[in-house]
Amino acid sequence: MQSTSELSGLLNSRTRAARAMLAEKGARPWSAAEQATFDVLMDDAEGAQQQLQRMSSGADAAVNLVNQHREAFATWLRKSEREYTAADRQQIQNTMSTTTAAEGGNAVSPMVAAEFVDTLKGYGWMRQVAASITTASGANMGYPSSDGSAETGEALAQNAAASSLDPSFGTRALNTSKVGSKIFTVPMELLQDSQIDITAMVLSRARARIGRVQNVQFTTGTGTGEPTGLVTAASVGKTGTTGQTLTIIYDDMVDMIDSIDEAALGMPDTQAAEPITLSGWMFSQTMRKVVRKVKDTTGRPIWTPGYDAHADTAVPALSELLDYPVFINNDMPAPGANAKSLAFGNLRSYMIRDAVALTMYRFQDSAYVTKGQIGFLAIARAGGNLLDTTAVKLYQHSAT
């Protein structure tokens, strides 16, 4: 099937060719061959135009369906059940399902839930650096992992047989767990104001709260009832010597870089559709205060502020540390005895899995209504794990 751009190109080329024939022939009689050529050009152009119209209609239908689901969700947010019209009730039943009686909530339409998941993907430093997938459900799953950093090909003599090297595969759990936004309230006046995009407003509020707690879990989660965090999954690449309970030295940071196999950091690939690695440092602002004071063996600061990077864009400039970018994540542990306060390596080796399963609760009992408010609670599901445990290492402060 031809793409929209291909069909547009075909339509334009055939239309130009037909117009050129008309201009060239003028008022002169057409031969049968010329008429046949012109008819083919017009048939091709009309066929391309009809396909574009069908594709446009399909896209419009998809957009209309999403809008219908958003409208149904907005109605559910704004009105109590006793305020539903027959049309409201039917629309909500068609797009939102009621969860089990024990839960008492409503499962948000997958189309609206997908919008929520998409906005979540831009929230927090772990989501910025990690790879991500989205699944329809939150069922338990294992994600295949394989360390190919030691694998290589071979030189072959003429007529020589090739040897074999089977890759070794493992699995890393990417089970999802639930997090809630805690109950938040919205004034009734806003719910009644049709000019307010109440869907975007409520989802944005829930996104901020869920995004924050998930960033904590993706960073330090135990893996039991919550994602396996980066700090939990990665191994120690360097331990500070006695006395470095709150500090780090230049030699330790050099050792941290060399604790990662170069292949795990990513080799140049100009043909790659997108970066296959995102190598760098991750630590908190508290640890940054420590690192910015570190000097190399000549007494020169190793911290490189990125004032020139992205100077002409709205993207915040990243600082660099020993030629690798720095990502500040305030959910990383602070410096302290035995604390693992700094991570380095291919941070895209961490995988986040979102389930398109968003449950919402609406509270309109007297505790809220007497204050002129309606309460809402959002429940989302996500998982995370470090797929390649050799790709990221941690710095651990000394015990004493």
Side-chain angles (χ1 to χ4, degrees):
M1 183 177 179
Q2 290 175 297
S3 66
T4 302
S5 59
E6 291 172 334
L7 288 170
S8 297
L10 178 63
L11 174 61
N12 291 335
S13 66
R14 296 299 189 267
T15 301
R16 286 196 298 269
R19 287 177 176 173
M21 284 190 69
L22 287 170
E24 181 183 355
K25 295 299 295 182
R28 288 178 295 169
W30 288 52
S31 67
E34 289 171 333
Q35 185 62 55
T37 299
F38 183 82
D39 289 343
V40 169
L41 292 173
M42 292 305 299
D43 287 343
D44 287 350
E46 289 176 4
Q49 187 173 37
Q50 289 172 1
Q51 288 190 58
L52 284 169
Q53 289 174 342
R54 286 194 295 269
M55 292 172 72
S56 176
S57 298
D60 290 343
V63 170
N64 288 336
L65 186 59
V66 171
N67 288 337
Q68 290 173 18
H69 283 231
R70 290 184 98 255
E71 288 173 5
F73 183 58
T75 300
W76 180 85
L77 293 172
R78 294 181 190 277
K79 297 181 179 181
S80 64
E81 284 194 49
R82 64 177 179 273
E83 297 175 304
Y84 291 169
T85 64
D88 290 339
R89 193 175 304 279
Q90 187 63 49
Q91 188 182 40
I92 290 171
Q93 288 177 349
N94 289 343
T95 59
M96 298 178 68
S97 61
T98 303
T99 59
T100 62
E103 295 176 346
N106 284 77
V108 178
S109 157
M111 293 184 180
V112 178
E115 176 184 334
F116 177 75
V117 169
D118 283 344
T119 62
L120 266 180
K121 289 180 178 178
Y123 193 95
W125 272 116
M126 284 301 298
R127 285 187 178 275
Q128 292 295 310
V129 301
S132 65
I133 59 172
T134 303
T135 57
S137 73
N140 289 352
M141 69 174 288
Y143 198 90
S145 61
S146 178
D147 178 13
S149 60
E151 297 174 5
T152 185
E154 62 181 347
L156 286 175
Q158 189 171 0
N159 299 322
S163 58
S164 62
L165 176 62
D166 294 329
S168 58
F169 289 94
T171 57
R172 301 286 288 172
L174 272 182
N175 303 334
T176 62
S177 56
K178 295 193 297 184
V179 295
S181 63
K182 294 186 178 179
I183 298 173
F184 57 92
T185 58
V186 177
M188 289 182 179
E189 291 81 0
L190 287 182
L191 294 176
Q192 295 164 357
D193 190 342
S194 60
Q195 300 302 312
I196 298 293
D197 185 348
I198 196 65
T199 295
M201 177 184 174
V202 169
L203 292 184
S204 176
R205 190 72 173 271
R207 167 191 183 256
R209 296 184 174 197
I210 288 175
R212 290 189 185 102
V213 67
Q214 285 184 342
N215 195 73
V216 173
Q217 294 180 342
F218 297 147
T219 306
T220 58
T222 63
T224 302
E226 61 184 10
T228 302
L230 177 71
V231 175
T232 304
S235 59
V236 174
K238 180 68 178 180
T239 301
T241 58
T242 300
Q244 290 177 222
T245 56
L246 299 174
T247 59
I248 187 171
I249 61 175
Y250 172 73
D251 288 352
D252 290 343
M253 306 197 78
V254 172
D255 289 343
M256 279 290 297
I257 293 176
D258 284 326
S259 70
I260 304 293
D261 188 288
E262 188 68 19
L265 297 179
M267 296 184 181
D269 185 356
T270 59
Q271 300 303 310
E274 61 180 33
I276 57 174
T277 66
L278 188 56
S279 301
W281 306 88
M282 179 174 281
F283 43 80
S284 68
Q285 283 180 276
T286 304
M287 187 61 181
R288 179 172 64 182
K289 294 177 183 178
V290 175
V291 173
R292 290 177 67 176
K293 299 174 184 177
V294 175
K295 310 292 193 300
D296 64 15
T297 54
T298 66
R300 181 181 59 182
I302 63 174
W303 183 269
T304 306
Y307 297 127
D308 294 332
H310 313 294
D312 58 346
T313 71
V315 179
L318 293 176
S319 297
E320 288 191 344
L321 189 59
L322 299 179
D323 298 326
Y324 287 95
V326 174
F327 303 99
I328 299 300
N329 177 359
N330 281 333
D331 291 320
M332 286 286 290
N338 289 320
K340 300 171 182 177
S341 65
L342 181 149
F344 174 78
N346 177 7
L347 300 173
R348 199 170 288 277
S349 294
Y350 191 88
M351 174 71 77
I352 292 174
R353 172 199 175 194
D354 287 297
V356 182
L358 178 65
T359 303
M360 291 289 298
Y361 299 79
R362 190 180 193 276
F363 303 97
Q364 55 184 31
D365 54 62
S366 59
Y368 301 100
V369 174
T370 55
K371 297 178 181 179
Q373 302 168 339
I374 298 295
F376 295 100
L377 169 66
I379 303 290
R381 302 182 71 179
N385 209 334
L386 182 62
L387 300 185
D388 184 355
T389 56
T390 68
V392 178
K393 296 292 185 179
L394 303 171
Y395 172 76
Q396 184 172 12
H397 294 271
S398 63
T400 57

